[in-house]
Structure formats: structure tokens, C-alpha cells
Amino acid sequence: MSIRFTAKACRGMVALTVAAGLALGVAGCSGGGDKEDKSSPSASASGNSGSKPSAQEGQSKTPLAELKGTDGLLLQITSAARDSGGFLTVNGIVKNDGDKSVVVPPQTSGDETEVVKHGPSLGGATIVDAKGKKRYYTLRDTEGRPLTTTGLGNLEAGQSLPVFMQFPAPPQGTTEVDLQVPTFSSGSIKISG
């Protein structure tokens, strides 16, 4: 009887360990302020010129656009793709090309109270369809959180952070838009899909 109990207890402990590991994995993906999450992207996305590119960098050898920010910040856009749900998802990397630590400016969150209350983000980003003469703002969920990377803060010299922004998709005939992020230069990006 003790062998069955031990085996049963062992299965329970394994299940508990797996559940705890999954919970930690999901928490690590939330974009919160976990230091390990921030150091992992910087280790893979920045480095010597001979290093292997990350999966995101592998999508495009040459960025679609490079938007220069303040204090050595650089936003490289790696993809802009239409989703089946009628969204445009823009992916990129924020890099600190300077030689000292920099805080991502709070202006990147925009000035909408509903967005700003959810913390630092890229919620102030917009895309402009010059052909259709329309401006599109980042999407928000039902609680006002922007559908962008959140929890932006300090970037050490040379550190990189993968980012995304989601917008309503412009009409199918629009293949190029201008991306504008507060405190960064604007840049023209081609849409795929």
C-alpha cells in the first residue's frame, strides 16, 4: 500500500511541478517588469555582428524602416502584416544605440488618459494612410489597454527589446503607410498580406 501511495504522491508532485512551470512561463510572457525577461531579448537581439539573429530578426535581414529617437534610441521595424481579423500588426525592435542607460520616453504612450493609466507602452503610435487620407490609432482592449508592447522602461547601453503595435488594417489597396511614434522620427513601411 505504501508503494501505491508513493507512486500516487509522486504523480501529484509531477503534475504540480508542471502546472507551476506553466504558470511561471505564462507570467514571464506578460511583458511585466521581470528582469530576466528584459535581459533575454537583449542577449539575443544585441551583440557582435557575427552573432546569430533572433527569430524575429530572421524575418527580414534589412528592417522595413528605422525610426530614430532621443538619446540614442532606435526603433527598427521588421514586419507589418495584415491579420485575418482586419488588423495590421507591426513588429520591431527598440534598441539603445547610445553608450549609457536610457529610459524610453513616457510620451510614447500617447496622451489619452485611458491608455496612460495602464503604464508605459507604444500606445501613442499611429499609422497614416496618405493615399486614403486617414490616420489609424493603436487598438485598445475593452479595458482601455493598448494592443502594443507595454512595460517599457530603462534600456541599458546596447540593449534591445522586441516590440509590437496593432492597428486597424487600412483598405487592401493600401500597401504603404507612415508609422509615427511620439519622440521618434516617422518612417514609411510596406504592408505584407
Side-chain angles (χ1 to χ4, degrees), residues 52-151:
K52 294 180 184 176
S54 69
Q56 189 171 19
E57 287 175 320
Q59 292 175 1
S60 174
K61 296 281 183 193
T62 305
L64 297 177
E66 287 191 348
L67 286 61
K68 293 186 186 244
T70 57
D71 299 322
L73 287 176
L74 181 67
L75 174 57
Q76 293 181 324
I77 303 304
T78 56
S79 68
R82 294 177 194 275
D83 297 338
S84 59
F87 309 121
L88 176 67
T89 302
V90 177
N91 291 297
I93 299 168
V94 173
K95 297 172 77 173
N96 179 357
D97 271 355
D99 56 359
K100 57 185 173 183
S101 178
V102 173
V103 174
V104 176
Q107 293 91 334
T108 61
S109 298
D111 57 8
E112 292 182 46
T113 306
E114 198 61 32
V115 173
V116 172
K117 78 177 187 181
H118 294 289
S121 70
L122 295 173
T126 61
I127 55 170
V128 177
D129 172 8
K131 181 180 172 185
K133 297 184 170 113
K134 287 190 176 180
R135 176 183 301 270
Y136 298 88
Y137 294 86
T138 54
L139 293 169
R140 281 93 166 126
D141 68 12
T142 56
E143 295 178 8
R145 283 187 296 262
L147 298 182
T148 70
T149 302
T150 59

Side-chain angles (χ1 to χ4, degrees), residues 4 7 15-16 20 26-28 37 41 77 81 85 97 109 122 124 128 130 150 152 166 171 173 183:
R4 286 186 190 158
L16 182 59
V26 170
D37 288 347
I77 303 304
D97 271 355
S109 298
L122 295 173
V128 177
T150 59
L152 300 174
Q166 201 166 47
T183 74

Side-chain angles (χ1 to χ4, degrees), residues 9-34:
C10 184
R11 283 193 304 269
M13 289 177 64
V14 168
L16 182 59
T17 303
V18 169
L22 288 174
L24 286 173
V26 170
C29 294
S30 68
D34 190 5

